[in-house]
């Protein structure tokens, strides 16, 4: 009886974890749109990021105060916070000013950066699967970006460079988190919220943008809503990652590309050509291959 109850409990937890990851993929696949709405209401991406992360931080300090009692500042925690903040802010600004799917496909080069950084910072071996991920990732990016009239296969504008950079910082955050297993989910999330305020504040102070305060009830509601979503989605996704094997989690999170493709077509009228789809398929395959590498690393540990 006890074994049966435990089995049912594990099965229920697994279903909840999968649902949590799908929820996170759905939210991040459409979160670009509320920021475009705020831009239309006169609040720029940098100002909107500062305000929404301020809301998320305030809520976290209230609802997670017990978990945050153990918070101790450290260089590692600061690095995790800044890397995660740079990733999320880069995503927001890139999808605000660029084509959503092209930006996200460049973001999903993250497994390439993860493998290279893990080799450098953690001493993990590259191996055959690692080389395959590197080759497929670079091949997919080149296929998607190359055009006879445009020369070398580089990102073609600032938004695409931001998408590429946000994927790199996502990889940095993941690799650094491996070195900080003792830190709780709440502590890491709050570090990221603080990091977002630091980065957005620095950009505003150096003249990269101007601080626009909400001047309508609609903008206030959008800012509060996004802030609540940012706090909740971080917690939800971390629950899913904690209770799902890494190689299964990345497959589920790749559904973000599907949600983004549908939302970009429906809400912004964006579409991709055959070359972009082929390059995107190669990048997605590289992400799937990276799960095989992750499984090998876990088995060797």
């Amino acid at each position: 009886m006890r074994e049966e109850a435990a089995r049912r409990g594990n099965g229920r937890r697994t279903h909840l974890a999968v649902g949590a990851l799908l929820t996170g993929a759905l939210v991040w696949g459409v979160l670009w749109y509320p920021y475009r709405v705020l831009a239309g209401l006169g609040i720029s991406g940098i100002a909107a990021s500062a305000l929404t992360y301020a809301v998320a931080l305030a809520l976290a300090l209230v609802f997670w105060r017990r978990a945050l009692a153990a918070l101790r500042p450290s260089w590692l925690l600061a690095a995790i916070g800044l890397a995660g903040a740079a990733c999320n802010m880069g995503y927001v600004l890139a999808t605000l000013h660029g084509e959503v799917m092209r930006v996200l496909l460049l973001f999903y080069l993250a497994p390439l950066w993860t493998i290279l950084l893990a080799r450098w910072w953690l001493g993990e071996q590259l191996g055959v699967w690692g080389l395959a991920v590197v080759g497929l990732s670079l091949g997919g990016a080149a296929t998607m970006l190359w055009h006879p009239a445009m020369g070398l296969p580089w990102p073609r504008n600032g938004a695409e460079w931001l998408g590429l950079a946000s994927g790199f910082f996502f990889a940095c955050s993941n690799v650094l988190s491996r070195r900080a297993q003792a830190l709780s989910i709440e502590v890491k999330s709050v570090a990221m919220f603080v990091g977002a305020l630091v980065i957005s504040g620095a950009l505003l102070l150096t003249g990269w943008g101007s601080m626009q305060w909400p001047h309508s009830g609609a903008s206030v509601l959008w800012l509060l809503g996004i802030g609540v979503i940012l706090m909740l989605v971080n917690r939800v996704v971390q629950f899913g990652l904690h209770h799902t094997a890494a190689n299964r989690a990345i497959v589920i999170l790749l559904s973000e590309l599907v949600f983004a493709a549908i939302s970009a077509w429906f809400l912004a009228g964006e579409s991709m050509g055959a070359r972009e789809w082929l390059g995107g398929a190669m990048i997605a395959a590289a992400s799937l291959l990276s799960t095989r590498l992750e499984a090998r690393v876990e088995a060797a540990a």
Side-chain angles (χ1 to χ4, degrees), residues 138-190:
L138 293 177
T143 300
M144 183 181 69
L145 296 172
W146 181 80
H147 190 278
M150 297 176 65
L152 293 174
W154 299 109
R156 63 188 182 183
N157 53 47
E160 292 184 5
W161 280 109
L162 274 175
L164 186 68
S166 64
F168 174 78
F169 283 115
F170 178 70
C172 288
S173 179
N174 282 348
V175 174
L176 289 169
S177 292
R178 292 186 190 180
R179 301 186 63 176
Q181 296 288 338
L183 296 177
S184 69
I185 294 168
E186 292 83 1
V187 165
K188 293 177 184 178
S189 296
V190 165

Side-chain angles (χ1 to χ4, degrees), residues 269-286:
E270 295 180 8
S271 60
M272 298 199 306
R275 190 179 68 255
E276 283 85 357
W277 281 115
L278 176 59
M282 294 172 70
I283 292 172

Side-chain angles (χ1 to χ4, degrees), residues 98 149 203:
L203 290 173

Side-chain angles (χ1 to χ4, degrees), residues 27 30-40 48 96 222 226 229 267:
V27 169
V30 301
L31 195 61
W32 58 271
Y33 182 71
Y35 281 101
R36 289 194 180 184
V37 172
L38 284 174
L96 186 61
W222 277 104
I226 296 171
I229 289 171
L267 297 172

